[in-house]
Amino acid sequence: MTYLNFLVIFILTIGCQAGNYQRDLLEKLFRDYDPAERPVSDENESLNVSVGLALQQIVDVDEKKQTIVFSGWLDMTWTDYNLRWNPAEFGNITKIRIQSSKIWIPDLLLYNSADDTFDVTSKVNAVLSYTGEVNYLPPGMFKSTCPIKIDDFPFDEQSCSLKFGSWTYDEATVNLKNKSDRAQLDSYIKNGEWLLEDVTSYSESLKYECCPEKFPFVMFVIYIRRRTLYFVINLIFPCLLISFMSILGFCLPPDSGEKIGLEITTLLSIMMFSQIITGIMPESSLSVPKMGLYFASVMIISALSIIANVFVLIFHHRNVKIQQPIPHLIDLVICQFLAKLLRMRRPDDEKDVKNKAYNAVSEMNDLSSKSLLANVLDINDDFGLAGAKKSMNRNSNRVNLKQQFSNSSNHYMTNNQVSLKRDNSNLSSNCADMFYDNKGDINSVRKNLNSILKEIRMITQKLKDDEEDEEKSLNWKFAAMVIDRLCLVFFSIATVFSTVVILFTSKNIFKPSDPHPIF
């Protein structure tokens, strides 16, 4: 029991000695210390303050308000001439933590702060070394102005400057220097929208209009690049599909009735995506982002495609019975020159040879049919000339033919043959008399045939006129086909050109969203 009491007393004695050393040290350091006094041995001497920045996370980048919000802490180091001690005199104490309100601290502020309170750092303890070196690391949520360049949106890169400087001390009293050329990024947490590429640092002095002295500052420049995967998947890829769908309108046949509907639907879809992009982009008239320029070009192409399809439909549905035939100039320029340039041929060119052969055969068949009809009915091919004069000529020819046949027969035939000839002649005469007794019926048949042939000629002429009108209308339709093909080629080139020139010329479009695992 005595041994235990002795051990407890020994431990308490050591603790009291340690506490007494620190108490004595603090009493010695702050006996005549004034926090408002600049800690230098010579009043004409400038106090060197090293400033660093540790970036922890990019919280938000507001394109509309043009601000950046990030969390981190400042790293300030200077030497206080009045806060030195010999560690051997105070229990080998080399470092102590003291409240920042008890010592002199440089009034370092973010010049381009966009926060309402302006000074957002927390008042934490400072680490004091026996050499007088003070290390002060105040954390905070910094909100700074950051001019956003929207020219390459959404493949843009931004550089946000953070200007830290003393608010009252000039260069002759406090000299600010950057600790390193880069900020501390070992504790950085990735941001889903922005890729942190680098944070550089430099120090400089600047003379303002208010004061004749130069004031030092330390500038930290944050280089960030937008991660484009979200915009490519949700905006750019659908817009590319919709823009190329406007070209498909020229592949539809005009008789389908869907050409104008498809183009208008495409235009409305592009306008909807354009409104989404407008809500994301900052409201600025200084420059136009590439994404907005691309949507504008696609909308113009879609609107022009609607106009082109209207002209195609006008040409296709031209009716020669109502409108005039195709003018010679349009036929020369479109149906011949442009068609040859686009390697197009009329649909009926290959049928001309077959049609000519078919017409020749038809004419021969018509002539043979007319001759056959004339021979059967004992009429000429001109059906309107059969009359009494023709009947008389036919009767006289028959009488002469009979007489010649009788004379020749009497000269060479025997008596029996003569009697046989006489019987045959009587039979033929009886048949001819019977045929010509029905002459009134034949005349009526002839009149009916004449009226039928007149109707056939009228129908044939009507069919020929309709065929000629159809051929003239086919010229308009062929011109519409040529214009449709020309617009397909032209708008395809325009869409590809605008896509390549506007979107794919951005230097960051082929960069990966996360090239390295650190930042």
Side-chain angles (χ1 to χ4, degrees):
M1 187 67 182
T2 306
Y3 176 76
L4 182 61
N5 292 333
F6 176 77
L7 182 61
V8 171
I9 293 172
F10 179 76
I11 294 173
L12 291 176
T13 304
I14 295 176
C16 292
Q17 289 177 354
N20 291 331
Y21 286 145
Q22 186 171 359
R23 187 182 306 112
D24 295 339
L25 177 60
L26 293 176
E27 183 179 356
K28 175 184 179 298
L29 293 177
F30 296 101
R31 184 178 302 160
D32 297 324
Y33 187 83
D34 189 0
E37 179 184 353
R38 189 167 60 94
V40 290
S41 59
D42 188 2
E43 293 296 332
N44 297 323
E45 181 184 354
S46 178
L47 179 63
N48 294 322
V49 178
S50 300
V51 181
L53 177 67
L55 191 63
Q56 186 179 20
Q57 184 182 12
I58 296 176
V59 179
D60 183 33
V61 178
D62 195 335
E63 292 90 347
K64 286 185 175 295
K65 295 181 180 180
Q66 300 196 20
T67 57
I68 180 173
V69 180
F70 67 95
S71 62
W73 57 86
L74 289 174
D75 186 0
M76 294 183 284
T77 303
W78 68 94
T79 300
D80 196 326
Y81 177 78
N82 300 318
L83 299 177
R84 296 178 178 180
W85 73 91
N86 187 4
E89 298 178 359
F90 299 94
N92 293 325
I93 297 176
T94 57
K95 289 184 179 180
I96 59 174
R97 278 74 178 169
I98 55 177
Q99 295 180 0
S100 59
S101 58
K102 293 183 177 182
I103 63 174
W104 180 90
I105 292 177
D107 53 346
L108 203 66
L109 296 177
L110 180 60
Y111 277 19
N112 55 341
S113 175
D115 199 279
D116 296 336
T117 58
F118 206 81
D119 186 10
V120 294
T121 56
S122 300
K123 303 302 179 182
V124 295
N125 292 337
V127 180
L128 178 61
S129 178
Y130 72 98
T131 59
E133 183 180 83
V134 181
N135 190 13
Y136 183 51
L137 295 90
M141 186 74 69
F142 301 94
K143 184 177 182 181
S144 172
T145 59
C146 181
I148 303 296
K149 299 176 183 179
I150 61 174
D151 297 346
D152 293 331
F153 179 86
F155 310 104
D156 52 334
E157 288 181 344
Q158 306 297 334
S159 58
C160 301
S161 300
L162 310 173
K163 186 177 181 181
F164 290 94
S166 175
W167 195 254
T168 57
Y169 292 100
D170 57 2
E171 188 179 14
T173 55
V174 174
N175 187 20
L176 298 180
K177 295 294 181 180
N178 55 315
K179 276 191 172 184
S180 175
D181 294 337
R182 297 179 68 250
Q184 301 178 23
L185 301 175
D186 51 350
S187 301
Y188 179 73
I189 301 173
K190 291 182 180 180
N191 184 273
E193 183 179 0
W194 295 93
L195 172 67
L196 180 63
E197 293 189 326
D198 199 2
V199 182
T200 61
S201 173
Y202 65 92
S203 59
E204 194 176 343
S205 298
L206 186 62
K207 185 178 180 180
Y208 299 96
E209 296 181 358
C210 65
C211 309
E213 300 86 2
K214 285 186 176 181
F215 288 83
F217 62 87
V218 177
M219 185 76 73
F220 296 93
V221 183
I222 301 176
Y223 295 95
I224 55 177
R225 176 165 59 89
R226 193 187 301 270
R227 301 181 190 268
T228 58
L229 183 61
Y230 170 81
F231 297 96
V232 169
I233 298 298
N234 295 285
L235 291 178
I236 297 177
F237 185 69
C239 182
L240 285 174
L241 292 180
I242 294 173
S243 63
F244 282 99
M245 281 180 62
S246 62
I247 303 175
L248 297 178
F250 297 104
C251 299
L252 289 176
D255 293 329
S256 64
E258 298 294 334
K259 294 174 73 69
I260 301 297
L262 177 61
E263 298 295 341
I264 292 177
T265 304
T266 304
L267 180 60
L268 293 176
S269 301
I270 295 172
M271 292 180 66
M272 181 193 70
F273 277 98
S274 178
Q275 293 297 321
I276 297 175
I277 293 295
T278 304
I280 298 175
M281 292 183 300
E283 300 173 357
S284 175
S285 299
L286 300 177
S287 60
V288 179
K290 285 190 174 182
M291 197 64 189
L293 187 63
Y294 176 69
F295 274 97
S297 64
V298 171
M299 281 192 291
I300 293 174
I301 292 174
S302 182
L304 292 177
S305 65
I306 294 175
I307 298 174
N309 277 297
V310 169
F311 278 101
V312 169
L313 292 178
I314 290 174
F315 273 62
H316 181 78
H317 293 287
R318 281 267 181 175
N319 191 351
V320 180
K321 294 181 180 180
I322 302 175
Q323 288 92 2
Q324 62 180 357
I326 186 170
H328 178 69
L329 180 62
I330 296 178
D331 182 72
L332 183 64
V333 174
I334 297 179
C335 298
Q336 297 183 22
F337 176 73
L338 290 180
K340 185 177 180 180
L341 184 64
L342 297 172
R343 305 180 65 85
M344 296 180 64
R345 298 180 61 183
R346 295 177 186 267
D348 55 348
D349 286 344
E350 299 178 354
K351 299 180 181 179
D352 288 343
V353 179
K354 296 180 180 180
N355 290 336
K356 290 180 181 179
Y358 177 76
N359 291 333
V361 174
S362 299
E363 290 177 358
M364 294 177 63
N365 292 333
D366 291 339
L367 292 175
S368 62
S369 298
K370 289 181 181 180
S371 300
L372 180 61
L373 184 62
N375 292 331
V376 172
L377 298 179
D378 196 17
I379 57 177
N380 291 332
D381 289 342
D382 253 345
F383 290 95
L385 299 179
K389 184 176 179 179
K390 291 185 178 181
S391 298
M392 293 175 65
N393 292 330
R394 284 194 295 272
N395 292 331
S396 62
N397 291 331
R398 280 197 175 91
V399 172
N400 294 329
L401 183 60
K402 288 178 182 180
Q403 290 177 357
Q404 292 176 3
F405 182 80
S406 298
N407 293 332
S408 61
S409 299
N410 291 329
H411 187 274
Y412 293 104
M413 295 181 180
T414 61
N415 293 329
N416 293 329
Q417 291 174 340
V418 168
S419 61
L420 182 60
K421 175 192 69 84
R422 185 180 295 113
D423 294 336
N424 291 331
S425 299
N426 292 330
L427 181 60
S428 298
S429 299
N430 292 331
C431 290
D433 292 336
M434 291 176 64
F435 180 79
Y436 286 105
D437 287 339
N438 296 325
K439 185 168 56 178
D441 294 336
I442 293 175
N443 290 331
S444 63
V445 171
R446 185 180 292 114
K447 290 180 180 180
N448 292 332
L449 288 175
N450 286 330
S451 62
I452 291 172
L453 289 174
K454 288 180 181 180
E455 294 295 332
I456 292 174
R457 287 170 179 169
M458 291 178 61
I459 294 172
T460 304
Q461 186 64 33
K462 176 65 176 175
L463 293 175
K464 288 182 179 180
D465 294 339
D466 292 341
E467 186 177 356
E468 291 177 357
D469 293 341
E470 182 65 23
E471 290 179 356
K472 294 177 181 178
S473 299
L474 288 177
N475 291 331
W476 284 108
K477 292 183 178 180
F478 181 68
M481 291 173 59
V482 174
I483 295 175
D484 217 2
R485 179 71 61 83
L486 179 65
C487 291
L488 176 63
V489 174
F490 175 77
F491 284 100
S492 298
I493 295 174
T495 303
V496 173
F497 180 78
S498 62
T499 303
V500 172
V501 170
I502 297 177
L503 289 184
F504 292 97
T505 54
S506 298
K507 60 182 180 180
N508 297 327
I509 188 170
F510 297 110
K511 288 185 178 180
S513 296
D514 196 3
H516 44 76
I518 299 177
F519 306 135

